[in-house]
């Protein structure tokens, strides 16, 4: 049965897409049957693995609006062999029109893929919606990328409250995989101060890995490649591969 991992934090620009794309690709490179699921209408994950969202007639949006279409039909292989369930800009309208009663739709939709994949990695949009909550309801585990700046603790607390709420009602078996420090700037004391505060409050949740700030991440996404493919020996690549190792070890 596929292990479903949601990358979540409501704030935009916090490294969700970069984490989703590179974790999924690293798992794939390690021989695990992995599916990257792009749930963001902005389709950044889709673009970051070199797929044009407008080129895919069947995508996550068509699956949500037409229950007759099988999820397998939407899956596309990237140039480096990773399986992707692509997003589409129309997803924005679908998401806005979703009702509370549909919050479990994603879990049902993904169920037929359980036997075909070992890992599903879901990238989520920045705003709160039934889709982002649905992604938590569908997940076994959530990974929280944490930008190490002064306001990070606020965003982290909000994320943990949301996860606790989902655990209480929709998905009691949801686990926190961990908090991953990303975009860490080692040249100032801010990152160090934030990491110390996180360690103090949530030490057991903090991964023993960090992704340093580097312009190469933006370069890689412009090139339509995850950094683990674009620049395999880069610090960020090694960090994301280590994250994949920890995810695999946990099983
Ligand atoms: N470790 C990093 N160092 C520098 N820039 C990064 C890093 N990780 C991501 N970025 C860049 O930051 C921006 C936001 O990251 P992204 O993963 O798209 O966040 P989100 O999906 O949460 O909006 C992107 O331009 C991305 O290339
Ligand atoms: Mg994103």
């Amino acid at each position: 049965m596929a292990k479903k991992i949601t990358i979540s934090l409501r704030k935009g620009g916090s490294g969700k897409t970069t984490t989703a794309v590179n974790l999924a690709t690293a798992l794939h490179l390690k021989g695990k049957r992995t599916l990257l699921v792009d749930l963001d209408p902005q389709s950044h994950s889709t673009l970051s693995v070199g797929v044009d969202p407008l080129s895919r007639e069947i995508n996550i949006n068509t699956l949500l609006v037409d229950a007759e279409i099988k999820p397998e039909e939407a899956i596309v292989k990237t140039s480096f062999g990773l399986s992707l369930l692509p997003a589409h800009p129309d997803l924005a309208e679908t998401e806005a029109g979703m009702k509370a009663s549909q919050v479990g739709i994603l879990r049902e939709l993904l169920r037929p893929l359980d036997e075909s994949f070992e890992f599903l990695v879901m990238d989520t949009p920045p705003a709160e919606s039934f889709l982002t909550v649905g992604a938590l309801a569908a997940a076994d585990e959530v990974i929280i990328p944490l930008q190490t700046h002064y306001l990070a603790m606020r965003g982290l607390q909000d994320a943990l409250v949301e996860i606790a709420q989902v655990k209480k009602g929709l998905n009691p078996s949801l686990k926190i995989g961990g908090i991953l420090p990303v975009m860490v700037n080692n040249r100032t004391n801010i990152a160090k101060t934030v990491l110390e505060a996180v360690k103090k409050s949530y030490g057991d949740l903090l991964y023993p890995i960090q992704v340093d700030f580097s312009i190469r991440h933006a370069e890689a996404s412009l090139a339509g490649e995850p950094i683990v493919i674009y620049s395999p020996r880069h610090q960020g690549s090694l960090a994301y591969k280590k994250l994949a190792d920890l995810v695999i070890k946990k099983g």
Side-chain angles (χ1 to χ4, degrees), residues 213-227:
F213 184 92
S214 163
I215 201 69
R216 299 283 277 173
H217 287 276
E219 277 175 30
S221 48
L222 274 177
E225 278 183 354
I227 198 157

Side-chain angles (χ1 to χ4, degrees), residues 14-237:
S14 55
K16 289 184 296 297
T17 296
T18 306
T19 299
V21 161
N22 284 291
L23 172 60
T25 307
L27 288 167
H28 163 67
L29 293 177
K30 288 175 187 293
K32 298 293 172 191
R33 286 176 285 123
T34 306
L35 177 68
L36 174 63
V37 182
D38 188 357
L39 296 170
D40 189 347
Q42 294 183 87
S43 313
H44 287 171
S45 272
T46 303
L47 290 161
S48 299
V49 294
V51 174
D52 175 5
L54 299 176
S55 72
R56 304 297 306 171
E57 208 174 303
I58 303 179
N59 49 62
I60 189 81
N61 183 58
T62 43
L63 295 182
L64 284 166
V65 296
D66 186 348
E68 295 293 305
I69 304 175
K70 292 195 168 62
E72 294 85 351
E73 294 177 51
I75 295 173
V76 55
K77 278 252 163 98
T78 69
S79 61
F80 47 89
L82 173 69
S83 297
L84 166 77
L85 203 53
H88 189 281
D90 286 352
L91 188 56
E93 210 184 315
T94 305
E95 187 186 33
M98 276 174 85
K99 298 185 179 63
S101 57
Q102 288 176 292
V103 76
I105 191 174
L106 198 62
R107 181 165 38 192
E108 286 314 304
L109 194 153
L110 297 172
R111 203 185 294 276
L113 302 172
D114 254 343
E115 301 309 320
S116 317
F117 293 98
E118 289 162 284
F119 291 98
L120 259 63
V121 180
M122 292 179 260
D123 184 22
T124 54
E128 189 186 4
S129 70
F130 290 125
L131 204 52
T132 46
V133 178
L136 290 175
D140 299 303
E141 203 173 288
V142 51
I143 292 177
I144 307 167
L146 183 76
Q147 233 180 319
T148 45
H149 57 59
Y150 277 129
L151 293 174
M153 285 298 271
R154 265 298 280 288
L156 178 60
Q157 279 156 2
D158 291 347
L160 293 172
V161 167
E162 184 173 35
I163 292 163
Q165 283 168 348
V166 172
K167 245 177 103 73
K168 238 185 220 165
L170 283 169
N171 184 1
S173 57
L174 179 65
K175 292 194 173 56
I176 297 176
I179 300 166
L180 178 72
V182 297
M183 303 188 208
V184 179
N185 183 345
N186 292 304
R187 275 179 300 186
T188 73
N189 276 326
I190 299 173
K192 222 173 127 197
T193 310
V194 170
L195 282 175
E196 270 163 17
V198 175
K199 207 177 232 165
K200 218 166 144 197
S201 303
Y202 313 107
D204 48 335
L205 295 178
L206 199 62
Y207 282 115
I209 308 170
Q210 70 176 47
V211 184
D212 292 344
F213 184 92
S214 163
I215 201 69
R216 299 283 277 173
H217 287 276
E219 277 175 30
S221 48
L222 274 177
E225 278 183 354
I227 198 157
V228 294
I229 299 276
Y230 183 76
S231 187
R233 308 297 309 158
H234 186 270
Q235 189 275 337
S237 302

